[in-house]
């Protein structure tokens, strides 16, 4: 803030005639209006609002006016400058909008262009389906248990009540591992007592041996049987197994758990059906079917609405289940008088086939990226 | 087991309206796996009648001999006149009774019979073969010649029982009794709540001492042997149509009357029967174990060398049959032979019937040892009702008397080891507790009685199980019977309450995260078979002593080319890479996570432990020690473009750096930092191979490799040029994880950035330079980034320039330029000391 000016020059007062100020204002307004683009406006801005512009000079003159004239002159000049700067701002934004409209149109791109610079990866649907099923049970409090794929016969068969020479042992076509002597000079047929696990059930036995009841686990994993690969068979496939051992578990609990699973995976009004069957490691045993999630059973006896998914049977076969055979509990050190349990297992390949309309098992095993890629990260 | 519905109705009065599908549903619900219901006679409509061939005119003007016949079909053709029919078959003569399809008939396969001109005559119908009627071939390929007693004009669809339904049941190993009509009928009767006419309820004469002599020296292997003799059999007697048809429908071929009868009784009662030609037996029948090396020629004409564990039937000459599996050729019933001169039929006229009971496991082992699964062995393995032997022998005798005109001898041999009925004690509420349903004692007792049990007791039941149910041994077996008969479909649906779970383990989480991270980086998962052979290891260029050559081998591989399990994930992935490439996908990034199999140093045998108790920890440890190590690994393979060319500009081929980066990605997901160094390791390019190490408990552990594949490997596998690969051990990574990440402290003071370019010898790894700079810069260093690598003339031969951006920042103040420069100088000084680096331009 400078000190008040005492040495004014009365002659100069003439310069601040209102008409002059109006003229300056109008010239500025005309120049802004005439500016066709932002560059021209910038020039006009300098000429009419810059430090050497007439209005700026006039403003400076006010200081030189006698005190009695200052107020009036200040008002006139201030008003004019206000109008000018407002007009400048208005014109500025008009021209910017014009420019933007033009430039942004020029910058427009074709947003429909494809972009596959780094093609997407994907996890295998068998992996993600196994995880999805596991997660249903993990959310119920189950834990995920794992075991070796090259497994001792005792775990794969004996502990599960597959008695030696019982026909049940022949039901599953087993890969046997050669006995090896040192130096790797194996001779065919040496009894090693080791097999490629034919089901995920040995994990049941390992879990029961390792943990104290209550035990609630799911065991997803790879299993092996000596089937040649074709449209509906593969020697290497995946199962998921469930085991619950606790006090007072019943077959009704098994049924409820199965119902919950198919509801979680296929929708709220899904259900399962049990049919008596035989498995050495469960007694009673059952085959489990789920309601066909596509036709909901409506294709049965209705030739006009055939269902491909269930072959118009209304039910889809899932796998085997039952109450854990007390002999299995005994072999694993669980007191069958105190505890009971249920178990079930089914093939992931099969579920993938009917859930996702896969026709040929070979598509799942060949690793063709065209098959796997659409499945993405989750299923 | 194939069960004709018409036959089943003989034992159970099913409502006439019940179809095969209805019965199927009931039996499935009762636990029998009824796989199909075959509709016999589907697509067949008459008129189909019995005809008598009156005349045969041989037409010889054609390529093959053709017969023009006149056939009496009675009034079936409406006129009573002989029917004129052209026939190409030759196995019949004038006077024979045949089956005639008259015009208007439709045979299976939409074969419409009409009057038509052929071979210069008008043929008004067809003389039919079994095949043409959908009966299955009888082995003759000829037309059916009926026994003479059938009247002309009789409806042949009824006579031949052409319309029927056959239930095909896959019998589970516990349900041996359902390998018989008797067993299936029992289940059917129970399912419908109808009475059963048990075909085994026959009057059987008491055993006596003058039957055919039998000596059992192995009463464990054979606890029961019934022998009966029938003499005076008419060799010319043939199996009646009903008998032939029932066998046919059940899937067996009619052979001769005596053999057909033994098969029929086996199907009916489940008891395998063997019939010996008495005139070909030499002395008493015996049952003993074979002597190792003994030989026998079985019915199928094969000479078999016996094992000391095989149970055999003998006479004075030695083994004459493998017990319960297959009879011998030298005592076989002779097929009837007709003397062409005299027309006299000769054949066995005296037979000895054997109905015995053999040890299930012994039969199973013998059948497997000789790869000889027969109808008999199938039944013995699954358990045959020992109490049915006498009835089965009687049924045979009855049928031989009835159908072959034989006379039963009065002698009845029965050798039986003493046995008591088996009982099971079970609390009456046990089935309720297993099912979670309140059945109540009364229901439990009633259902068990329907199964054939005798039940005593109130709260604690004493259950005597029927002789045909060797599978019922434990309370749970009985519970299953009750629950299945009450209907599995009626079980309620309840949910147990598991204790709170702990979620996935760290190992499981790492596994999932690795999959997601690799897929996120553009890799596609492939799940490859783990089978490999030496060839793949040779193709990988592994040295003779490479650990990956020590394989876990299979006794029975699917392919002799791939008889072992993978020791590395790469062969499978490279195979998938090649397959995709050959199918036209060339820009490829694949990954797999899975187990590899490494034999232990001292592989032993995984002994079979007992099952009557939990094995001890030592026993389990010994079993586990016999298993190979099975670490989980992750691997990737790459070929073609990593980034594709497109409207945005150029693409970028995948290279060694992508493979190494995949390793870093995996390790980062496991929360571990890799120590990367140059290595030479098959199958990688010796100059483009990185080794991955991690620190576990202060020790540097090798966890994997990555880089570009060796050109020889690329060639051997037929891969695209410059294919790259990475393989890393996930289990070791998980071990190296040091727990939850420690969050960085974020300073809001300004950053001071200093760039340095260092010239080093070409063979100095950037990782070492960076490590030295990092260490030398001290704790003010916030980050370091290599932003350029330059080699060129300005530097001189064998040198490279590494340009780093160093960011310095303090947590408590704004750094002065001098502080930042001092830190930079310290960094460079240490790099100079460690790696000989020279500040570029200095």
């Amino acid at each position: 803030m400078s000190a008040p000016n005492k040495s004014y020059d009365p002659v100069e007062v003439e310069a601040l005639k209102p008409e002059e100020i109006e003229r300056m204002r109008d010239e500025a307004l005309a120049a802004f209006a005439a500016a066709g683009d932002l560059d021209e406006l910038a020039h006009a801005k300098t000429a009419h609002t810059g430090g050497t512009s007439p209005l700026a000079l006039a403003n400076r003159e006010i200081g030189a006016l006698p005190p009695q004239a200052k107020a009036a002159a200040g008002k006139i000049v201030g008003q004019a400058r206000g109008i000018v700067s407002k007009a400048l701002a208005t014109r500025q934004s008009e021209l910017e909008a014009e420019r933007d409209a033009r430039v942004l149109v020029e910058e427009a791109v074709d947003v429909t262009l494809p972009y596959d610079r780094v093609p997407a990866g994907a996890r295998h649907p068998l992996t993600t389906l196994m995880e999805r099923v596991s997660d249903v049970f993990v959310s119920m409090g189950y834990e995920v248990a794992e075991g070796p794929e090259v497994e001792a016969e005792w775990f794969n068969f004996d502990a599960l009540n597959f008695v030696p020479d019982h026909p049940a042992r022949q039901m599953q076509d087993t890969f046997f591992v050669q006995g090896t002597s040192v130096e790797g000079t194996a001779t065919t047929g040496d009894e090693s007592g080791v097999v490629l696990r034919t089901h995920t059930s040995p994990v049941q036995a390992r879990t029961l041996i390792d943990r104290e009841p209550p035990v609630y686990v799911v065991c997803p994993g790879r299993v092996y049987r000596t089937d040649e690969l074709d449209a509906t068979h593969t020697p290497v496939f995946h199962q998921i197994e469930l085991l619950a051992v606790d006090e007072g578990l019943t077959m009704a609990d098994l049924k409820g758990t199965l119902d919950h699973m198919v509801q979680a995976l296929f929708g709220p009004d899904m259900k399962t059906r049990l049919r008596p069957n035989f498995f050495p490691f469960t007694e009673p045993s059952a085959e489990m079917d789920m309601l066909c999630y596509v036709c909901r059973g409506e294709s049965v006896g209705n030739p006009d609405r055939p269902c491909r998914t269930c072959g118009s049977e209304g039910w889809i076969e899932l796998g085997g289940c039952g109450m854990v055979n007390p002999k299995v509990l005994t072999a694993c050190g669980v007191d069958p008088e105190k505890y009971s349990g249920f178990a079930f297992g089914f093939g992931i390949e099969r579920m993938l086939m009917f859930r996702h309309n896969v026709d040929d098992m070979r598509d799942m095993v060949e690793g063709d990226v065209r098959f796997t890629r659409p499945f993405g990260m989750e299923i | 087991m194939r069960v004709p519905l018409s036959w089943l109705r003989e034992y159970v009065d099913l409502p006439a309206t019940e179809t095969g599908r209805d019965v199927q549903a009931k039996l499935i619900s009762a636990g029998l796996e009824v796989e199909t219901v075959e509709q016999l006679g589907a697509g067949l409509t008459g008129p189909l009648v019995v005809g008598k061939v009156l005349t045969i005119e041989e037409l010889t003007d054609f390529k093959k001999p053709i017969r023009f016949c006149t056939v009496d079909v009675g009034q079936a053709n409406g006129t009573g006149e002989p029917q004129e029919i052209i026939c190409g078959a030759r196995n019949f003569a004038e006077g024979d009774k045949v089956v005639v399809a008259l015009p208007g008939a439709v045979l299976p396969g939409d074969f419409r019979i009409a009057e038509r001109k052929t071979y210069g005559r008008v043929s008004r119908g067809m003389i039919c073969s079994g095949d043409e009627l959908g009966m299955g071939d009888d082995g003759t390929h000829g037309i059916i010649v009926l026994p003479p007693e059938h009247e002309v004009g009789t409806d042949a669809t009824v006579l031949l029982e052409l319309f029927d339904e056959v239930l095909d049941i896959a019998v589970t190993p516990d349900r041996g009794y359902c390998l018989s009509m008797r067993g299936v009928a029992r289940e059917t009767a129970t399912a419908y709540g109808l009475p059963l006419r048990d075909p085994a309820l026959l009057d059987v004469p008491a055993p006596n001492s003058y039957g055919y002599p039998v000596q059992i020296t192995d009463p464990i292997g054979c606890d029961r042997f019934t022998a009966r003799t029938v003499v005076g059999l008419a060799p010319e007697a043939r199996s009646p149509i009903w008998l032939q048809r029932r066998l046919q429908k059940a899937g067996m071929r009619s052979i001769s009357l005596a053999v057909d009868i033994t098969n029929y009784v086996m199907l009916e009662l489940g008891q395998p029967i063997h019939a010996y030609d008495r005139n070909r037996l030499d002395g008493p029948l015996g049952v003993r174990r074979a002597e190792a090396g003994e030989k026998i020629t079985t019915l199928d004409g094969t000479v078999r060398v016996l094992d000391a564990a095989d149970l055999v039937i003998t006479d004075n000459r030695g083994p004459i049959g493998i017990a319960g599996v297959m009879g011998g050729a030298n005592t076989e019933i002779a097929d009837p032979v007709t003397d062409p001169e005299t027309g006299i039929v000769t054949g066995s006229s005296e037979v000895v019937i054997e109905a015995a009971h053999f040890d299930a496991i012994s039969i199973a082992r013998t059948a497997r040892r000789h790869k000889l699964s027969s109808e008999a062995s199938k039944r013995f393995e699954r358990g045959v009702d020992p109490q049915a032997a006498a009835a089965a022998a009687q049924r045979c005798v009855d049928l031989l008397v009835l159908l072959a005109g034989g006379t039963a001898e009065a002698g009845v041999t029965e050798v039986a080891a003493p046995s008591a009925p088996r009982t099971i004690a079970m609390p009456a509420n046990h089935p309720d507790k297993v099912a979670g349903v309140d059945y109540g004692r009364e229901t439990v007792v009633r259902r068990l009685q329907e199964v054939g049990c005798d039940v005593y007791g109130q709260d604690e039941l004493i259950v005597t199980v029927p002789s045909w149910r060797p599978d019922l041994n434990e309370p749970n077996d009985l519970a299953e019977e009750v629950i299945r008969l009450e209907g599995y479909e009626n079980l309620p649906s309840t949910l147990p309450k598991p204790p709170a779970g702990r979620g996935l383990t760290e190992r499981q989480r790492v596994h999932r995260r690795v999959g997601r991270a690799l897929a996120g980086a553009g890799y596609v998962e492939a799940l490859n078979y783990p089978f490999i052979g030496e060839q793949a290891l040779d193709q990988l260029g592994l040295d003779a002593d490479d650990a990956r050559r020590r394989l876990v081998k299979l006794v029975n591989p699917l392919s002799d080319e791939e008889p072992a399990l993978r020791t590395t994930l790469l062969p499978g992935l490279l195979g998938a890479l090649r397959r995709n490439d050959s199918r036209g996908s060339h820009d490829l990034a694949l990954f797999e996570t899975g187990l590899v199999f490494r034999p232990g140093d001292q592989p032993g045998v995984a002994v079979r432990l007992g099952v009557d108790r939990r094995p001890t920890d030592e026993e389990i440890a010994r079993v586990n020690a016999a298993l190979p190590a099975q670490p989980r690994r992750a691997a990737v393979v790459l070929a073609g473009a990593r980034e594709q060319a497109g409207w945005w500009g150029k693409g970028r081929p995948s290279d060694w750096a992508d493979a190494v980066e995949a390793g870093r990605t995996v390790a980062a997901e496991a929360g571990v930092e890799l120590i990367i160094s140059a290595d030479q390791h098959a199958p990688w390019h010796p100059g483009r191979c990185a080794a991955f190490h991690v620190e576990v408990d202060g020790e540097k552990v090798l966890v994997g490799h990555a880089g570009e594949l060796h050109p020889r490997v690329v060639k051997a596998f037929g891969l695209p040029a410059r294919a790259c690969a990475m393989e890393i051990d996930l289990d070791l990574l998980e071990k190296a994880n040091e727990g939850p990440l420690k969050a960085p402290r974020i300073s809001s003071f300004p950053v001071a950035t200093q760039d340095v370019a260092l010239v080093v010898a070409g063979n100095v790894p950037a990782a070492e330079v960076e490590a030295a700079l990092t260490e030398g810069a001290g704790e003010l260093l916030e980050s370091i980034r290599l932003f350029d690598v330059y080699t060129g003339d300005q530097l001189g031969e064998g040198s490279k320039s590494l340009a780093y951006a160093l960011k310095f920042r303090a947590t408590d103040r704004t750094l002065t330029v001098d502080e930042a420069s001092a830190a930079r100088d310290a960094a460079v000084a240490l790099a100079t000391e460690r790696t000989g680096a020279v500040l570029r331009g200095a």
Side-chain angles (χ1 to χ4, degrees), chain A residues 114 165 176 222 234 253 283 366, chain B residues 365 476 494 528-529 555 579 647:
Chain A
D165 300 303
F176 292 93
R222 226 174 196 206
T234 161
D253 292 331
E283 186 72 33
E366 287 177 342
Chain B
R365 287 185 180 160
N476 268 37
T494 56
N528 300 295
Y529 286 176
V555 173
R579 194 174 308 120
W647 54 265

PDB file of all heavy atoms in Angstrom, chain A residues 114 165 176 222 234 253 283 366, chain B residues 365 476 494 528-529 555 579 647:
ATOM      1  N   PRO A 114     -10.621 -53.594 -31.781  1.00  0.00           N
ATOM      2  CA  PRO A 114     -10.306 -54.689 -30.852  1.00  0.00           C
ATOM      3  C   PRO A 114      -8.950 -54.448 -30.206  1.00  0.00           C
ATOM      4  O   PRO A 114      -8.107 -53.734 -30.758  1.00  0.00           O
ATOM      5  CB  PRO A 114     -10.259 -55.908 -31.765  1.00  0.00           C
ATOM      6  CG  PRO A 114      -9.866 -55.369 -33.095  1.00  0.00           C
ATOM      7  CD  PRO A 114     -10.438 -53.973 -33.189  1.00  0.00           C
ATOM      8  N   ASP A 165      -8.619-109.594  -2.972  1.00  0.00           N
ATOM      9  CA  ASP A 165      -9.343-110.591  -3.766  1.00  0.00           C
ATOM     10  C   ASP A 165     -10.838-110.359  -3.824  1.00  0.00           C
ATOM     11  O   ASP A 165     -11.548-111.084  -4.499  1.00  0.00           O
ATOM     12  CB  ASP A 165      -9.087-112.024  -3.274  1.00  0.00           C
ATOM     13  CG  ASP A 165      -7.631-112.380  -3.345  1.00  0.00           C
ATOM     14  OD1 ASP A 165      -7.076-112.294  -4.454  1.00  0.00           O
ATOM     15  OD2 ASP A 165      -7.036-112.694  -2.302  1.00  0.00           O
ATOM     16  N   PHE A 176      -0.450 -99.932 -11.304  1.00  0.00           N
ATOM     17  CA  PHE A 176       0.449-100.353 -10.239  1.00  0.00           C
ATOM     18  C   PHE A 176       1.842 -99.794 -10.492  1.00  0.00           C
ATOM     19  O   PHE A 176       2.295 -99.730 -11.638  1.00  0.00           O
ATOM     20  CB  PHE A 176       0.511-101.884 -10.164  1.00  0.00           C
ATOM     21  CG  PHE A 176      -0.795-102.485  -9.698  1.00  0.00           C
ATOM     22  CD1 PHE A 176      -1.753-102.887 -10.611  1.00  0.00           C
ATOM     23  CD2 PHE A 176      -1.070-102.604  -8.341  1.00  0.00           C
ATOM     24  CE1 PHE A 176      -2.967-103.415 -10.191  1.00  0.00           C
ATOM     25  CE2 PHE A 176      -2.279-103.129  -7.910  1.00  0.00           C
ATOM     26  CZ  PHE A 176      -3.225-103.537  -8.836  1.00  0.00           C
ATOM     27  N   ARG A 222      -6.525 -85.276  -8.277  1.00  0.00           N
ATOM     28  CA  ARG A 222      -6.362 -86.043  -9.489  1.00  0.00           C
ATOM     29  C   ARG A 222      -6.336 -87.525  -9.170  1.00  0.00           C
ATOM     30  O   ARG A 222      -5.707 -87.921  -8.185  1.00  0.00           O
ATOM     31  CB  ARG A 222      -4.992 -85.676 -10.061  1.00  0.00           C
ATOM     32  CG  ARG A 222      -5.017 -85.414 -11.513  1.00  0.00           C
ATOM     33  CD  ARG A 222      -3.653 -84.925 -11.958  1.00  0.00           C
ATOM     34  NE  ARG A 222      -3.861 -84.351 -13.259  1.00  0.00           N
ATOM     35  CZ  ARG A 222      -2.929 -84.259 -14.197  1.00  0.00           C
ATOM     36  NH1 ARG A 222      -1.710 -84.657 -13.957  1.00  0.00           N
ATOM     37  NH2 ARG A 222      -3.205 -83.745 -15.366  1.00  0.00           N
ATOM     38  N   THR A 234     -11.183 -90.968 -19.537  1.00  0.00           N
ATOM     39  CA  THR A 234      -9.796 -90.510 -19.538  1.00  0.00           C
ATOM     40  C   THR A 234      -9.081 -91.203 -18.383  1.00  0.00           C
ATOM     41  O   THR A 234      -9.669 -91.370 -17.315  1.00  0.00           O
ATOM     42  CB  THR A 234      -9.692 -88.971 -19.401  1.00  0.00           C
ATOM     43  OG1 THR A 234      -8.372 -88.638 -18.980  1.00  0.00           O
ATOM     44  CG2 THR A 234     -10.681 -88.417 -18.400  1.00  0.00           C
ATOM     45  N   ASP A 253     -28.313 -86.458   7.334  1.00  0.00           N
ATOM     46  CA  ASP A 253     -27.310 -85.392   7.238  1.00  0.00           C
ATOM     47  C   ASP A 253     -26.585 -85.443   5.892  1.00  0.00           C
ATOM     48  O   ASP A 253     -26.281 -84.415   5.294  1.00  0.00           O
ATOM     49  CB  ASP A 253     -26.278 -85.529   8.370  1.00  0.00           C
ATOM     50  CG  ASP A 253     -26.884 -85.235   9.739  1.00  0.00           C
ATOM     51  OD1 ASP A 253     -27.842 -84.449   9.806  1.00  0.00           O
ATOM     52  OD2 ASP A 253     -26.393 -85.815  10.730  1.00  0.00           O
ATOM     53  N   GLU A 283     -21.281 -98.013   4.224  1.00  0.00           N
ATOM     54  CA  GLU A 283     -22.365 -98.956   4.521  1.00  0.00           C
ATOM     55  C   GLU A 283     -23.308 -98.275   5.497  1.00  0.00           C
ATOM     56  O   GLU A 283     -22.896 -97.983   6.620  1.00  0.00           O
ATOM     57  CB  GLU A 283     -21.799-100.257   5.124  1.00  0.00           C
ATOM     58  CG  GLU A 283     -22.817-101.361   5.325  1.00  0.00           C
ATOM     59  CD  GLU A 283     -23.270-101.992   4.018  1.00  0.00           C
ATOM     60  OE1 GLU A 283     -22.454-102.073   3.075  1.00  0.00           O
ATOM     61  OE2 GLU A 283     -24.442-102.370   3.940  1.00  0.00           O
ATOM     62  N   GLU A 366      -6.535 -82.065 -23.677  1.00  0.00           N
ATOM     63  CA  GLU A 366      -5.534 -81.775 -24.701  1.00  0.00           C
ATOM     64  C   GLU A 366      -4.852 -80.429 -24.514  1.00  0.00           C
ATOM     65  O   GLU A 366      -3.867 -80.143 -25.165  1.00  0.00           O
ATOM     66  CB  GLU A 366      -6.180 -81.863 -26.087  1.00  0.00           C
ATOM     67  CG  GLU A 366      -6.453 -83.302 -26.485  1.00  0.00           C
ATOM     68  CD  GLU A 366      -7.154 -83.427 -27.811  1.00  0.00           C
ATOM     69  OE1 GLU A 366      -7.732 -82.425 -28.279  1.00  0.00           O
ATOM     70  OE2 GLU A 366      -7.134 -84.529 -28.381  1.00  0.00           O
TER      71      GLU A 366
ATOM     72  N   ARG B 365      -9.290-115.886  -6.920  1.00  0.00           N
ATOM     73  CA  ARG B 365      -7.853-115.896  -7.251  1.00  0.00           C
ATOM     74  C   ARG B 365      -7.579-116.786  -8.450  1.00  0.00           C
ATOM     75  O   ARG B 365      -6.795-116.423  -9.329  1.00  0.00           O
ATOM     76  CB  ARG B 365      -7.039-116.389  -6.052  1.00  0.00           C
ATOM     77  CG  ARG B 365      -6.982-115.353  -4.957  1.00  0.00           C
ATOM     78  CD  ARG B 365      -6.081-115.806  -3.831  1.00  0.00           C
ATOM     79  NE  ARG B 365      -6.049-114.783  -2.806  1.00  0.00           N
ATOM     80  CZ  ARG B 365      -5.684-115.008  -1.550  1.00  0.00           C
ATOM     81  NH1 ARG B 365      -5.294-116.223  -1.181  1.00  0.00           N
ATOM     82  NH2 ARG B 365      -5.689-114.039  -0.688  1.00  0.00           N
ATOM     83  N   ASN B 476     -24.389-102.379  10.443  1.00  0.00           N
ATOM     84  CA  ASN B 476     -24.659-101.415   9.376  1.00  0.00           C
ATOM     85  C   ASN B 476     -25.190-102.082   8.112  1.00  0.00           C
ATOM     86  O   ASN B 476     -25.932-101.479   7.349  1.00  0.00           O
ATOM     87  CB  ASN B 476     -23.402-100.600   9.055  1.00  0.00           C
ATOM     88  CG  ASN B 476     -23.335 -99.326   9.851  1.00  0.00           C
ATOM     89  OD1 ASN B 476     -23.736 -99.302  11.012  1.00  0.00           O
ATOM     90  ND2 ASN B 476     -22.837 -98.259   9.234  1.00  0.00           N
ATOM     91  N   THR B 494     -31.312 -83.129   6.374  1.00  0.00           N
ATOM     92  CA  THR B 494     -30.902 -82.272   7.493  1.00  0.00           C
ATOM     93  C   THR B 494     -29.444 -81.875   7.300  1.00  0.00           C
ATOM     94  O   THR B 494     -28.713 -82.545   6.572  1.00  0.00           O
ATOM     95  CB  THR B 494     -31.028 -83.016   8.837  1.00  0.00           C
ATOM     96  OG1 THR B 494     -30.253 -84.229   8.758  1.00  0.00           O
ATOM     97  CG2 THR B 494     -32.472 -83.374   9.134  1.00  0.00           C
ATOM     98  N   ASN B 528      -1.902 -81.590 -18.048  1.00  0.00           N
ATOM     99  CA  ASN B 528      -1.369 -82.659 -18.888  1.00  0.00           C
ATOM    100  C   ASN B 528      -1.240 -83.961 -18.126  1.00  0.00           C
ATOM    101  O   ASN B 528      -1.073 -83.972 -16.915  1.00  0.00           O
ATOM    102  CB  ASN B 528      -0.004 -82.233 -19.437  1.00  0.00           C
ATOM    103  CG  ASN B 528      -0.110 -80.975 -20.266  1.00  0.00           C
ATOM    104  OD1 ASN B 528      -0.743 -80.982 -21.317  1.00  0.00           O
ATOM    105  ND2 ASN B 528       0.456 -79.878 -19.783  1.00  0.00           N
ATOM    106  N   TYR B 529      -1.323 -85.059 -18.869  1.00  0.00           N
ATOM    107  CA  TYR B 529      -1.098 -86.365 -18.257  1.00  0.00           C
ATOM    108  C   TYR B 529       0.333 -86.413 -17.723  1.00  0.00           C
ATOM    109  O   TYR B 529       1.246 -85.856 -18.334  1.00  0.00           O
ATOM    110  CB  TYR B 529      -1.262 -87.480 -19.297  1.00  0.00           C
ATOM    111  CG  TYR B 529      -2.685 -87.752 -19.701  1.00  0.00           C
ATOM    112  CD1 TYR B 529      -2.961 -88.676 -20.705  1.00  0.00           C
ATOM    113  CD2 TYR B 529      -3.752 -87.121 -19.095  1.00  0.00           C
ATOM    114  CE1 TYR B 529      -4.268 -88.954 -21.081  1.00  0.00           C
ATOM    115  CE2 TYR B 529      -5.052 -87.388 -19.467  1.00  0.00           C
ATOM    116  CZ  TYR B 529      -5.308 -88.305 -20.463  1.00  0.00           C
ATOM    117  OH  TYR B 529      -6.592 -88.574 -20.834  1.00  0.00           O
ATOM    118  N   VAL B 555       3.772-100.659 -13.590  1.00  0.00           N
ATOM    119  CA  VAL B 555       3.763-102.059 -14.000  1.00  0.00           C
ATOM    120  C   VAL B 555       2.932-102.210 -15.273  1.00  0.00           C
ATOM    121  O   VAL B 555       3.286-102.956 -16.176  1.00  0.00           O
ATOM    122  CB  VAL B 555       3.159-102.939 -12.878  1.00  0.00           C
ATOM    123  CG1 VAL B 555       2.994-104.374 -13.354  1.00  0.00           C
ATOM    124  CG2 VAL B 555       4.027-102.872 -11.628  1.00  0.00           C
ATOM    125  N   ARG B 579       1.036 -79.132 -29.758  1.00  0.00           N
ATOM    126  CA  ARG B 579      -0.301 -79.463 -30.257  1.00  0.00           C
ATOM    127  C   ARG B 579      -1.052 -78.188 -30.648  1.00  0.00           C
ATOM    128  O   ARG B 579      -1.637 -78.093 -31.718  1.00  0.00           O
ATOM    129  CB  ARG B 579      -1.072 -80.223 -29.177  1.00  0.00           C
ATOM    130  CG  ARG B 579      -2.321 -80.915 -29.683  1.00  0.00           C
ATOM    131  CD  ARG B 579      -2.964 -81.766 -28.582  1.00  0.00           C
ATOM    132  NE  ARG B 579      -2.026 -82.676 -27.947  1.00  0.00           N
ATOM    133  CZ  ARG B 579      -1.730 -82.674 -26.652  1.00  0.00           C
ATOM    134  NH1 ARG B 579      -2.326 -81.836 -25.829  1.00  0.00           N
ATOM    135  NH2 ARG B 579      -0.861 -83.535 -26.159  1.00  0.00           N
ATOM    136  N   TRP B 647      -3.243 -52.555 -34.533  1.00  0.00           N
ATOM    137  CA  TRP B 647      -3.405 -51.158 -34.939  1.00  0.00           C
ATOM    138  C   TRP B 647      -2.622 -50.221 -34.018  1.00  0.00           C
ATOM    139  O   TRP B 647      -2.318 -49.102 -34.347  1.00  0.00           O
ATOM    140  CB  TRP B 647      -4.880 -50.772 -34.989  1.00  0.00           C
ATOM    141  CG  TRP B 647      -5.630 -51.056 -33.704  1.00  0.00           C
ATOM    142  CD1 TRP B 647      -6.360 -52.163 -33.431  1.00  0.00           C
ATOM    143  CD2 TRP B 647      -5.695 -50.230 -32.550  1.00  0.00           C
ATOM    144  NE1 TRP B 647      -6.881 -52.090 -32.178  1.00  0.00           N
ATOM    145  CE2 TRP B 647      -6.486 -50.908 -31.604  1.00  0.00           C
ATOM    146  CE3 TRP B 647      -5.158 -48.971 -32.206  1.00  0.00           C
ATOM    147  CZ2 TRP B 647      -6.761 -50.377 -30.351  1.00  0.00           C
ATOM    148  CZ3 TRP B 647      -5.433 -48.439 -30.955  1.00  0.00           C
ATOM    149  CH2 TRP B 647      -6.230 -49.151 -30.034  1.00  0.00           C
TER     150      TRP B 647
END
